[in-house]
């Protein structure tokens, strides 16, 4: 089936079988010889954390594709263990996405794979996705795939622990907002304000995203000028990670990224147990990450987790949904769980047994809340999925059920959109988005 043949919505909110068909058709239409594109128009290559969520979706309908998805991503892993955030499809024309391989120049770096990639990473949700995919489809082929993936997943964690612990505090530092996955979140406004860049440089480039999505729903030209300046700084040091603290323009410890980093160790412990390896060291590391998150990123004055800007050594002020992500850690102390549950319930995020509006990505009471602009307000299914998982982990089934219902209603009302208006539920961004379809399948199966 072609992308154009996929219906964008179903006949009604209670048509669960129709929703499932829509999700499967969306994934099928985005399947591309061994991996799934997030979107045929906006993101026609392979993206790292998208592939993890998408693999979990495939596990419900075609488990062999779940394993192909993760295997193809890890084929692009660098010798140092990093899993690049974009793996470029060589069959696509130059300019199919901006910034393309000509900006990243991965082939100039030693230890990179034969295919072109970016040099950044994304939240390491892959071990968790692999474990959950196996639980959804626990057959011998899945177990064999887990066994094959395990060393690569361990190397991914080792890269982050050894090369990205810039502050030496046990947490991973992201070197670009794109690494957070929530590119233009208000969480990055303070650290980004210090990045020197002129929006006029964008006149020399053709942005691909604004040809396919409303510019008012996307990051600004000033954001992009800064994104490019940070990429150039990292690339021109050979993506080497040495001396980052001495001058790299963006260095931030993100609560969601580090929650995923810790959750990956928990998942690896279970994968190790399933495949006959030793889980003990993973459990120790998971506990250490949890302890470091609490010590370094929890802000008792707001009762939530905040990113730390390593260039000022201060927590950023904006209260975003990133702060709720540590709920996915089973070892989070009860006091911090209670604080995050209160934050989730507050008018800022509105999670409840019966939700009147979907979960936003930013404090909806903030004066600079933007309901249409990407990660500055709109609702995204991957974030809701993670928060729901956290609520279930800590025994809050009613809030988790409310969140699940609200996410299903979003897709029932608007289709498998990339993101949704946090008041009206209107679909925004790409209309046939991979992880929305995949995570909907996962939610429907519960
Ligand atoms: C840059 C693919 C990716 C997601 C990110 C999302 C968006 C890219 C972009 O799309 O980022 O990596 O061009 O805006 O922010 O989370 O992985 O879906």
């Amino acid at each position: 089936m072609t992308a154009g043949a996929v219906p964008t919505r179903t006949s009604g909110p209670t048509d669960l079988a129709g929703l499932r068909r829509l999700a499967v058709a969306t994934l099928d239409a985005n399947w591309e010889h061994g991996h799934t594109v997030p979107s045929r128009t906006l993101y026609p290559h392979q993206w790292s954390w998208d592939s993890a969520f998408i693999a979990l979706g495939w596990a419900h309908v075609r488990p062999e594709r779940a394993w192909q998805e993760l295997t193809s991503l890890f084929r692009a892993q660098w010798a140092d263990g990093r899993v690049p955030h974009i793996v470029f499809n060589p069959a696509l024309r130059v300019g199919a996405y901006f910034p393309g391989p000509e900006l990243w120049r991965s082939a100039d770096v030693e230890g990179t794979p034969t295919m072109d990639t970016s040099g950044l990473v994304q939240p390491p949700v892959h071990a968790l996705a692999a474990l959950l995919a196996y639980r959804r489809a626990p057959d011998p082929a899945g177990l064999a795939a887990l066994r094959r993936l395990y060393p690569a997943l361990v190397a991914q964690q080792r890269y982050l622990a050894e090369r990205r612990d810039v502050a030496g505090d046990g947490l991973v530092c992201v070197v670009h907002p794109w690494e957070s996955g929530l590119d233009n979140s208000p969480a990055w406004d303070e650290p980004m304000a210090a990045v020197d860049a002129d929006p006029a440089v964008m006149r020399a480039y053709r942005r691909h995203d604004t040809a396919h999505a409303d510019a008012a729903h996307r990051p600004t030209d000033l954001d992009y000028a800064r994104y490019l300046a940070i990429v150039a700084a990292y690339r021109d040091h050979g993506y080497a990670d040495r001396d980052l603290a001495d001058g790299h323009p963006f260095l931030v410890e993100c609560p969601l990224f580090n929650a995923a980093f810790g959750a990956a160790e928990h998942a690896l412990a279970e994968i190790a147990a399933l495949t006959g390896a030793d889980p003990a060291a993973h459990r120790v590391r998971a506990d250490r990450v949890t302890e470091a998150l609490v010590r370094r990123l929890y802000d008792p004055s707001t009762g939530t987790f905040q990113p730390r800007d390593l260039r000022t050594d201060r927590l950023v002020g904006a209260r975003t949904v990133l702060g709720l992500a540590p709920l996915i850690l089973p070892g989070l102390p009860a006091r911090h769980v209670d604080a995050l549950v209160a934050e989730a319930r507050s008018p800022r995020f509105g999670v409840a047994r019966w939700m009147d509006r979907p979960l936003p990505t930013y404090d909806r009471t903030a004066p600079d809340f933007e309901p249409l602009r990407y990660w500055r307000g709109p609702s995204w299914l991957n974030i809701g999925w993670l928060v729901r998982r956290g609520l279930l982990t800590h025994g809050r089934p009613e809030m988790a059920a409310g969140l699940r219902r609200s996410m299903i209603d979003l897709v029932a009302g608007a289709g498998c959109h990339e993101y949704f208006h946090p008041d009206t539920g209107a679909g925004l961004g790409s209309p046939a988005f991979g992880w929305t379809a995949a995570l909907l399948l996962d939610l429907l199966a519960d």
Side-chain angles (χ1 to χ4, degrees):
M1 181 187 287
T2 64
V6 179
T8 54
R9 50 192 299 158
T10 62
S11 52
T14 52
D15 180 11
L16 296 184
L19 273 183
R20 195 172 189 280
R21 278 196 302 277
L22 170 67
V24 175
T26 304
L27 283 183
D28 260 332
N30 288 9
W31 175 252
E32 177 66 39
H33 311 296
H35 72 271
T36 311
V37 296
S39 151
R40 288 261 166 217
T41 53
L42 269 167
Y43 317 107
H45 301 283
Q46 184 173 25
W47 260 260
S48 170
W49 79 327
D50 297 66
S51 278
F53 295 125
I54 287 169
L56 179 53
W58 278 128
H60 292 274
V61 280
R62 295 189 185 208
E64 72 286 358
R65 287 194 177 176
W67 305 118
Q68 279 180 269
E69 184 79 41
L70 290 170
T71 302
S72 65
L73 176 69
F74 279 87
R75 219 176 275 135
Q77 187 169 32
W78 291 21
D80 62 16
R82 95 182 68 196
V83 179
H85 100 292
I86 308 173
V87 183
F88 290 103
N89 178 350
L92 295 187
R93 64 174 174 83
V94 175
Y97 174 77
F98 175 80
E102 64 289 348
L103 183 98
W104 299 97
R105 301 178 212 150
S106 61
D108 295 351
V109 182
E110 230 178 278
T112 52
T114 50
M115 59 290 257
D116 287 318
T117 72
S118 78
L120 301 174
V121 296
Q122 274 186 327
V125 288
H126 311 80
L128 178 62
L131 174 69
L132 297 181
Y134 176 70
R135 288 214 193 119
R136 294 298 195 180
D139 57 23
L143 194 58
L146 274 190
R147 196 169 278 126
R148 277 196 309 274
L149 282 166
Y150 176 71
L153 292 164
V154 170
Q156 176 187 30
Q157 291 290 100
R158 194 181 307 124
Y159 166 76
L160 297 172
E162 292 179 0
R163 296 270 300 262
R164 290 302 196 82
D165 184 0
V166 173
D169 60 3
L171 295 180
V172 177
C173 166
V174 296
V175 301
H176 194 295
W178 282 336
E179 295 204 299
S180 73
L182 276 69
D183 311 345
N184 68 340
S185 168
W188 316 134
D189 290 359
E190 284 168 42
M192 281 283 268
V195 178
D196 199 19
D198 178 357
V201 303
M202 293 312 295
R203 290 199 208 118
Y205 301 104
R206 186 194 293 260
R207 275 179 67 172
H208 166 83
D209 58 328
T210 43
H212 294 278
D214 190 330
H217 303 177
R218 294 282 310 174
T220 63
D221 270 2
L222 177 58
D223 290 329
Y224 262 78
R226 288 178 168 143
Y227 294 155
L228 296 186
I230 306 170
V231 169
Y234 195 38
R235 179 200 60 209
D236 295 348
H237 285 88
Y239 302 108
D241 296 319
R242 273 190 308 274
D243 307 324
L244 284 171
D246 294 337
H248 188 71
F250 186 92
L251 296 170
V252 176
E253 291 174 342
C254 167
L256 187 152
F257 197 109
N258 279 288
F261 178 58
E265 292 296 342
H266 283 292
L268 284 170
E270 293 194 45
I271 294 174
L274 281 164
T275 58
D278 183 2
H282 296 301
R283 298 212 173 101
V284 171
R285 286 199 281 268
D287 289 346
R288 275 199 213 128
V289 175
T290 306
E291 184 275 326
L293 255 165
V294 168
R295 185 165 35 84
R296 292 278 290 169
L297 303 189
Y298 184 70
D299 181 356
S301 70
T302 55
T304 187
F305 286 78
Q306 311 277 47
R308 181 175 291 274
D309 183 349
L310 291 184
R311 296 186 53 87
T312 59
D313 200 27
R314 291 219 313 260
L315 296 181
V316 307
R319 286 170 95 128
T320 69
V321 79
L322 292 167
L324 302 180
L327 279 174
I328 63 172
L329 292 167
L332 196 67
R335 186 161 64 85
H336 299 90
V337 170
D338 290 345
L340 292 192
V341 167
E343 176 75 353
R345 273 190 206 283
S346 76
R348 288 182 285 280
F349 294 102
V351 179
R353 181 177 186 178
W354 298 103
M355 293 179 58
D356 55 3
R357 287 178 294 181
L359 175 70
T361 36
Y362 182 35
D363 170 4
R364 65 162 77 247
T365 69
D368 56 346
F369 179 74
E370 289 188 77
L372 292 171
R373 203 184 285 280
Y374 216 37
W375 296 100
R376 303 184 69 88
S379 192
W380 290 71
L381 245 68
N382 64 331
I383 299 297
W385 184 90
L386 285 168
V387 172
R388 171 178 180 259
R389 180 166 177 82
L391 291 167
L392 288 173
T393 300
H394 294 286
R396 304 298 199 282
E398 295 198 339
M399 287 171 78
L403 199 47
R404 172 179 179 270
R405 207 174 302 117
S406 123
M407 287 189 275
I408 293 173
D409 286 352
L410 275 179
V411 184
C416 286
H417 269 267
E418 184 182 3
Y419 45 106
F420 302 86
H421 192 293
D423 297 322
T424 66
L428 302 167
S430 162
F433 193 63
W435 80 41
T436 302
L439 296 176
L440 178 76
L441 287 175
D442 197 56
L443 292 170
L444 288 175
D446 278 347

